[in-house]
Amino acid sequence: MPSHFPEPLSKAIEEFSKFPGIGPKQAQRMVFYLLGLKEQEAKLIMDSISSAITQITYCPQCFNFSSKGETNQPQLCSVCGDSSRDEKIICVVEDPRDVSRFERIADYRGLYHVLGGAINNIDGVGPDSIRIGELLNRIEKSPVAELIMATNPNSAGDYTALYISNQLKDTGIQITRPARGLPMGGDLEYADDLTLGQAMAHRQNIGQSTNQNTDQKNQEKTQTVKENTSQNSTDNGESIS
Amino acid sequence: MVSQVKRYSDEAIVLRSYKLAEADRIVVLLTKNNGKVRAVAKGVRKMKSRFGSKLEPFNHLTAQIHRGRGDLDFIVEVESISQFPIIRSSLSRLDSAYCFLEIIDRVSLEARPAPRLFEMLLGALNVLEKSDVKSDSPILVPAFYLKVLAKEGFAPVLDICVVCGKNSQLTRFDFEEGGMCCLGCGRTGVKVSPKAHSLLQMVLEGELNQALSEPVSQKVSEEVAKLATRYLEYRLELKLRTN
């Protein structure tokens, strides 16, 4: 489409409209906003984008976002570099954004492992396409006691959790999955059968805090898993509770 | 011919879904009466979505769908019929279920009603959901492939030599000819054991339940699986991702 703007301006609009969810009109608004800024403010935005692109890389241990060091080598991320973290617990997530979501609740003190996706065979994403090999290598080298499979609560996430638990079934590592229950603010009428069933199976006494309940819940989960195993005689998903 | 009413309700099984924009999904459904449907489900990736969790692959549901102007329809309402919890708790059952979904996704067509395919897929998922000898059968997936092939008009000839018509000494399977060949005619294709041959016949000649209940050695089940997969890939000119 012919543009009435000078070349640098129309080029900037074209580039901004490549952002997901941003159309030409919104791109135009963003560029005009930048043009309206004082030079110093605009430079700050440009520098921050530029340094994010050149300085951000993946943590060599957990594959969360981290920054490059002075020698341009990837450094450990803020979580892996924190010596107060419990290295016996690893929370496995699909995306670095999930790490930030867990960090915001500030309850979890273990480490993470970012898979970079979930197994989805129909779409051609097999176990080798995500960082499962790296996770298994990491577990071999470090004293891990528990693996929390916090992949997304959907079919691909469930499959990935089952797959990894199957790979680790003889290691003695406790493999858990975050509880599935009813979201705050939702209507019971719209809850799906699986979620409602699990929420009922893992119901809690009113007035007990989550932390106080942890041990009791774990025991209940183990019991439920045993019952499921005897009822269904399914193959290797039982280690995930 | 699919009717052109703006909103319709149909029984469906979710074949797959793709992420769309910030919180939406494009869901591919095999409906009972409207063939394969690609529809946008708005906001379903949010935790509080009214029906997001009901639109996971192989869920059986009733959906209200608004017909869109282009290729995509819009899902308005979903009522769950079954979410197959037993399949979801087992890796091997999930593997089989994904094999069913992939082949159905690849043979079904949009706007072409395929109630028979729908019934076949639902039946196969119901077998997997039960904990019995049939759901554990190693030939469940190959049997499903053969049934799909037969439905598409590519049933292999198993009772006589596909080249000369003789009905004895059928020892090889010729992919190009589409069936068993006798000793004299079968120079190409693969060798088939008598047990595998009899299982193939049972699957395609109305004795599926018996075939799935038969004790099958690993060698024979691998032979049947390899043959059914190869024949399906050859006839439908595709490469399966889930197998």
Side-chain angles (χ1 to χ4, degrees), chain B residues 72-84:
Chain B
L72 292 170
D73 291 350
F74 292 89
I75 296 177
V76 183
E77 194 60 69
V78 174
E79 193 64 49
S80 180
I81 298 174
S82 175
Q83 293 186 304
F84 299 106

Side-chain angles (χ1 to χ4, degrees), chain B residues 165-186:
Chain B
K166 231 168 79 175
N167 63 359
S168 60
Q169 294 182 308
L170 304 173
T171 54
R172 295 184 85 85
F173 189 93
D174 193 307
F175 294 98
E176 204 171 320
E177 296 291 345
M180 295 296 290
C181 291
C182 66
L183 264 178
C185 301

Side-chain angles (χ1 to χ4, degrees), chain B residues 32-53:
Chain B
K32 195 172 183 178
N33 303 311
N34 291 271
K36 188 159 77 173
V37 169
R38 280 161 32 90
V40 175
K42 300 285 274 182
V44 290
R45 280 157 57 208
K46 289 181 185 164
M47 283 278 180
K48 284 184 193 169
S49 161
R50 283 182 298 135
F51 50 78
S53 51

Side-chain angles (χ1 to χ4, degrees), chain A residues 122-123 155 159 184 194 235, chain B residues 16 48 56 92 95 241:
Chain A
I122 288 191
D123 289 334
S155 298
Y159 184 95
M184 188 67 189
L194 278 181
D235 53 4
Chain B
R16 61 195 297 189
K48 284 184 193 169
E56 285 298 309
S92 64
D95 280 332
R241 297 192 192 105

Side-chain angles (χ1 to χ4, degrees), chain B residues 2 16 26 32 42 52 70 85 87-89 104 117 119 122 139 141 143 146 154 175 181 225 239:
Chain B
V2 176
R16 61 195 297 189
I26 294 175
K32 195 172 183 178
K42 300 285 274 182
I87 294 179
R88 289 177 189 284
S89 65
I104 292 292
L117 270 187
E119 293 301 339
L122 184 59
I139 65 156
V141 173
L146 290 169
F154 295 117
F175 294 98
C181 291
K239 182 90 188 107

Side-chain angles (χ1 to χ4, degrees), chain A residues 121-124 153-156 159 162-163 166 183-186 190-194 232-237, chain B residues 15-16 25 47-48 50 53-54 56-57 80 83 85 88-92 94-95 98 101-102 131 241-242:
Chain A
N121 287 322
I122 288 191
D123 289 334
N154 54 31
S155 298
Y159 184 95
L162 275 174
Y163 180 87
N166 188 39
M184 188 67 189
Y190 296 119
D192 68 292
D193 298 350
L194 278 181
N232 301 336
S233 65
T234 49
D235 53 4
N236 29 41
Chain B
L15 297 179
R16 61 195 297 189
R25 273 186 187 281
M47 283 278 180
K48 284 184 193 169
R50 283 182 298 135
S53 51
K54 297 172 188 168
E56 285 298 309
S80 180
Q83 293 186 304
R88 289 177 189 284
S89 65
S90 154
L91 198 62
S92 64
L94 278 170
D95 280 332
Y98 276 117
L101 293 194
E102 185 188 10
S131 277
R241 297 192 192 105
T242 48

